Amino acid sequence: MRVYVPLTLSGLAAAHRAGEVGPGPLTAYAVTPGLREWYVSDDIEELEYAALNRAAAASLRAIAANPEEARRRVVLALDVPDGAAVADPDHGLSASSVGEVRVAGPLPLSRAAAVHVDGDDAEKDVSDAAAALGAADLGDDDARFTVDGAEDHELLWFGVQEIPHLIG
């Protein structure tokens, strides 16, 4: 099963140093029954892209919580054994937690398939979105538009071997 773990650049650096993402429990995103129902598609690539975007939104929240954090969303894609990532069926009813899963323990970086990171051109929009996130959550349409501006940026794909370059 592929899971998408939301990180920040400093979180990616810590995972690289430790050789794992953790400690557990970890929140990640995956193709869950709730995500399938929410996204209404049978195309696995589209569903995985939706899970990746849910993780990117969680990465934005982590960035917003830390003013010192680099303003680039980071998502680490990892392959875990079936059953290692568990969706809470009650929690999955919330729109904010669609696709969310829990992984009990740390995940070795050796299970990583790819890293997805914002390009340099997204930093201003991600910074603006992080600042507007609270107001967007409270229903401010202008703030929601600002948050959507960050979501308009596609995360770039990097091979795991490129992590030292990304965190350098």
Side-chain angles (χ1 to χ4, degrees):
M1 166 181 243
R2 171 89 27 112
V3 298
Y4 299 90
V5 178
L7 294 173
T8 60
L9 279 176
S10 65
L12 181 62
H16 181 67
R17 283 190 304 275
E20 66 183 17
V21 181
L26 297 170
T27 298
Y29 294 82
V31 177
T32 63
L35 186 124
R36 285 178 187 276
E37 184 177 321
W38 173 75
Y39 196 76
V40 191
S41 174
D42 290 329
D43 184 328
I44 190 64
E45 288 183 13
E46 287 182 14
L47 291 166
E48 286 185 352
Y49 184 72
L52 168 69
N53 284 328
R54 301 297 291 174
S59 176
L60 178 64
R61 290 193 175 280
I63 290 167
N66 184 355
E68 302 301 315
E69 189 60 57
R71 292 344 215 187
R72 292 172 70 189
R73 298 167 300 162
V74 177
V75 175
L76 187 60
L78 299 108
D79 294 318
V80 301
D82 288 341
V86 179
D88 179 344
D90 294 329
H91 194 66
L93 299 176
S94 164
S96 65
S97 62
V98 169
E100 190 175 290
V101 295
R102 296 274 186 255
V103 179
L107 293 172
L109 214 47
S110 62
R111 292 194 169 275
V115 183
H116 303 271
V117 182
D118 273 314
D120 294 338
D121 64 324
E123 285 187 40
K124 181 183 180 327
D125 287 338
V126 170
S127 182
D128 292 347
L133 198 53
D137 287 346
L138 294 174
D140 183 310
D141 289 336
D142 290 334
R144 181 77 246 161
F145 182 79
T146 301
V147 171
D148 289 345
E151 293 173 358
D152 287 342
H153 289 273
E154 295 286 332
L155 296 179
L156 304 176
W157 182 97
F158 295 91
V160 177
Q161 71 276 11
E162 297 178 270
I163 291 174
H165 168 72
L166 292 168
I167 61 175

